[in-house]
Amino acid sequence: MTGRAAALRRALIEFFAGAAGVLAFAPFYLWPAALLSLGVLFAAWWRAPGAWGAFLAGWRWGMGMFLAGVSWLYVSLHVYGNMPAILAGMAILLFCGYLALFPALAGWCARWLVVRTGVGAFVAMLMVFPAMFVLAEFLRGWFLTGFPWLNIGTSQTPGGLLPVPLAGFAPLGGAALLSLLVAMVAAGVLLLSPWLRGVHASRRAKAGIAAGIAVVLATGALAGRIEWSVPSGPPVEAALVQGNIPQEIKWRAEAFERTLSLYRDLVRSSSAPLIVLPETALPGFLHDLPPEYLADLGASLRERKSELVLGVPVAERRDPASGAFRYANSAIVLGSTDGQRYDKRHLVAFGEFMPPLFSWVYRWLQIPLAGFTPGAPDAPLLRVAGIAAAVNICYEDAFGGEIAPAAREADVLINLSNMAWYGRSLAASQHAQFSQLRALETARWMLRATNTGVTAAINERGEIFAALPQFETGVLPVVFTPRRGVTPYMRWGDAPALALCAALIALAGTRAWRARAAGAPG
């Protein structure tokens, strides 16, 4: 095989290994695919002739991962955002290329450090590579408001036919700790395999690696049995409403009355004390809704002693002199506790607000209500059905570090979403998996009400307890248990996992320095 043919073969393997990693996530739940995918990536980093070679390997892997995993964004840009097909395709390529820079950066830094310090394969694989990978993931979830989609740790949630032993670590350190453990296990498996040419491990070393993997998996399984929260009250009956309004007609004037009637009938069909509607369920600003509609809905709820959490955009006059308005993506409460409201705090760039210098994008995008402003970071919890609820709207449940503090005083988590923007793609299932991980991290039930799915009730162990079929109109009745308790992740967030990554990198460098000082190989 010629040098060019061999290089092309390696590039294709790296690309398709990244794409195969998507199988670790919902709706497939084949979490061992993450081990295989990362194993190929780490082997490529080790074999790379230098830092730039590792950079390119990481970029190719990332392109495979994100093109396979988040190309559904094309649907929102072209089908519903009215961007021309060619431009939408180019935008997706550029976006995935941007996301791929993070594993590329991790590869560059990891390989540079390995070459600079001269550490051996075991230290590189088990310490440097996993730590750098996780730090780059965390950076991707923070930089420019963040995009933590397909972070490897998110794949470690219950689902499918395979047990997920590492899920027990979620309440301890969240997605970052899970990513680190998955990466370290993947590196260990790689060292035990014959794939890594030129690296020879003694039987004793292989036995130690195998034992370490077994200890990590067993510890996770045992940690999964810990009850991090306790019931804080009697079970509560709830109803989660899925309107299934097609996105192409959701904002049309001729569909307005039909949408109001549909949701009114669905709400009236349930006598549950707590009823939850999706994000922007009513397609109009709160002040534009017919007053008699809200009055009738509120009276009906009070008569049945029910309370409704309703997603609706809100416009408020910010400056009476200029007439300027502030727009919020909100959840309000109707029923016996009228007047409560939560405004979405973590907005989606290009979907709910336009970053500076990008106003020209509006030339093609026709996304309704794209000029939102974020809500207050210290918004109070909503009191519904006699319990405290921490509400998050759509994309917000992708950020565990933002959900955890609000959950400390909450009895339940509630997510309102509208995934109709992405059609019949992987997006809805992948998004529901975020909610599963947030439930695991906080040891709370998560109630999800969505327009087209996945509408589901997720228990404190991250298991989907009940769900409606996607793209069907319906009401999901569920009885959940309010819970209280503070998990280690709720107390300390991502800091311990990030500190562990930094410690692994520092330890690797220290080990190499000591080995050089002693005249021994690193």
Side-chain angles (χ1 to χ4, degrees), residues 340 375 428:
Q340 297 184 83

Side-chain angles (χ1 to χ4, degrees), residues 59-194:
W59 189 82
R60 290 188 289 261
W61 181 90
M63 283 297 286
M65 166 74 79
F66 296 114
L67 281 174
V70 302
S71 56
W72 38 258
L73 287 165
Y74 175 87
V75 178
S76 62
L77 292 177
H78 173 60
V79 178
Y80 300 122
N82 203 41
M83 180 179 281
I86 294 178
L87 288 176
M90 290 176 58
I92 294 303
L93 282 174
L94 288 172
F95 183 60
C96 290
Y98 158 74
L99 297 176
L101 290 175
F102 291 92
L105 176 64
W108 192 96
C109 293
R111 189 62 185 159
W112 179 88
L113 183 62
V114 166
V115 172
R116 187 69 179 262
T117 60
V119 298
F122 282 73
V123 174
M125 289 288 174
L126 296 174
M127 298 169 66
V128 178
F129 289 178
M132 285 294 188
F133 180 84
V134 173
L135 290 175
E137 264 198 348
F138 183 81
L139 181 63
R140 174 164 59 86
W142 168 82
F143 187 64
L144 297 178
T145 75
F147 190 80
W149 219 277
L150 298 183
N151 278 12
I152 290 295
T154 308
S155 67
Q156 304 303 297
T157 56
L161 300 176
L162 299 176
V164 190
L166 292 180
F169 287 104
L172 296 172
L177 179 61
L178 290 176
S179 287
L180 180 62
L181 293 173
V182 172
M184 294 179 78
V185 170
V189 171
L190 177 61
L191 289 169
L192 293 176
S193 73

Side-chain angles (χ1 to χ4, degrees), residues 187-212:
V189 171
L190 177 61
L191 289 169
L192 293 176
S193 73
W195 298 345
L196 207 58
R197 297 176 183 176
V199 177
H200 303 286
S202 65
R203 290 185 179 179
R204 182 178 179 182
K206 288 186 176 181
I209 292 173

Side-chain angles (χ1 to χ4, degrees), residues 4 14 18 56 104 117 124 146 152-153 167 174 201 221 264 394 436 472 504 520:
R4 287 186 177 181
E14 291 154 7
L56 292 175
T117 60
I152 290 295
R264 180 181 57 209
C394 199
Q436 290 183 261
E472 291 186 12
L504 288 172

